[in-house]
Amino acid sequence: MVIAVDGPGGVGKSTVANRVAEALELPHLDTGSTYRAAGLTALRMGAPLDDSDAVLAAIAGVDISIVEGVVSIDGADVTEDLRRDEVTKASSVVAAHPDVRERIVALQQAWVAKRGGSAVVEGRDIGTVVFPDAPVKIYLTARPEIRAARRSGDAEAADKSEDQIAAELAARDHRDSSRKASPLRPADDAEIIDTSDLSIDEVVERVLALVDAVGRR
Ligand code: DC
């Protein structure tokens, strides 16, 4: 079964999705890394990020693969490059193009199909678009100041103030939620969990309880 974990940045999605995948012995796909790989490819090829056709042509010419969390472009490990600031921003810009999304979503669906159709898949539109029939859909949220504080603990944010991190998160939220193609929003049948005042363990337990409830039905 697919367990969809959606939500904006800084809510603990990756940590929770990882832990749930481990507990259930399922593969884990971080779909953000697929858009990051698309953004990095566009930057490398000099494709203007707001030009959908140019971005699409750039990513059509490369092979993006993800194996156990290691992302490669044409066989070269780019996992660390994907966390660079300019790539974070580029990923959000290229993710707004419907044609680019179509291609990247196909890659995500093929990744899960190749693994027998069961995985913990995290992103922004997993429950709404990529796997609308997922039996478990989680949408994580947290108060803005909590998200900024969590992000400031990440290595890539080491030299930024919390105000700067909060402003960048807000800008990306706005871009991700206001785009026409698959905007960031909870699926109607998603379980919304506010992680602001919960520990990781508590969130993981809630998700596992939901998986259990579906399994027993
Ligand atoms: O989760 P992340 O920060 O690695 O995601 C990077 C960007 O990719 C984010 O700004 C929006 C986009 N994204 C998306 O549009 N749909 C997804 N399922 C995952 C990420």
Side-chain angles (χ1 to χ4, degrees):
M1 78 162 97
V2 168
I3 297 162
V5 182
D6 287 305
V11 292
K13 255 187 344 255
S14 288
T15 313
V16 169
N18 240 322
R19 290 269 306 272
V20 169
E22 262 174 34
L24 299 173
E25 297 186 356
L26 286 177
H28 166 215
L29 177 61
D30 166 14
T31 60
S33 67
T34 61
Y35 290 99
R36 285 171 183 270
L40 176 61
T41 302
L43 289 173
R44 281 182 172 176
M45 308 269 190
L49 301 179
D50 56 359
D51 181 340
S52 172
D53 290 343
V55 173
L56 197 59
I59 60 176
V62 298
D63 175 46
I64 298 171
S65 88
I66 305 171
V67 178
E68 293 182 5
V70 175
V71 184
S72 305
I73 297 177
D74 287 339
D77 183 347
V78 294
T79 316
E80 297 219 333
D81 293 327
L82 297 189
R83 299 290 135 194
R84 284 188 350 234
D85 246 10
E86 53 172 349
V87 178
T88 301
K89 182 152 182 256
S91 65
S92 173
V93 177
V94 301
H97 301 310
D99 292 350
V100 172
R101 297 195 71 83
E102 198 180 310
R103 184 163 192 110
I104 297 292
V105 165
L107 184 151
Q108 296 161 1
Q109 290 167 335
W111 190 97
V112 172
K114 195 174 164 192
R115 286 155 183 83
S118 281
V120 179
V121 186
E122 75 170 273
R124 305 285 194 286
D125 60 340
I126 308 307
T128 50
V129 174
V130 186
F131 291 104
D133 298 330
V136 179
K137 297 182 186 177
I138 315 289
Y139 189 90
L140 301 180
T141 63
R143 293 192 295 276
E145 69 276 16
I146 301 265
R147 293 170 54 205
R150 286 184 186 155
R151 264 293 141 95
S152 69
D154 291 350
E156 68 221 60
D159 52 355
K160 292 183 186 169
S161 70
E162 237 165 75
D163 280 353
Q164 190 184 351
I165 295 169
E168 286 176 6
L169 276 175
R172 206 144 66 94
D173 279 0
H174 177 71
R175 232 183 351 255
D176 294 345
S177 337
S178 61
R179 68 178 179 226
K180 287 206 183 71
S182 315
L184 168 67
R185 67 167 180 85
D188 293 338
D189 51 350
E191 180 82 17
I192 298 177
I193 303 178
D194 184 339
T195 67
S196 303
D197 302 312
L198 298 175
S199 68
I200 297 286
D201 282 348
E202 286 170 321
V203 180
V204 170
E205 266 167 39
R206 283 200 196 184
V207 176
L208 292 176
L210 288 165
V211 174
D212 251 16
V214 168
R216 282 202 297 267
R217 219 184 274 155

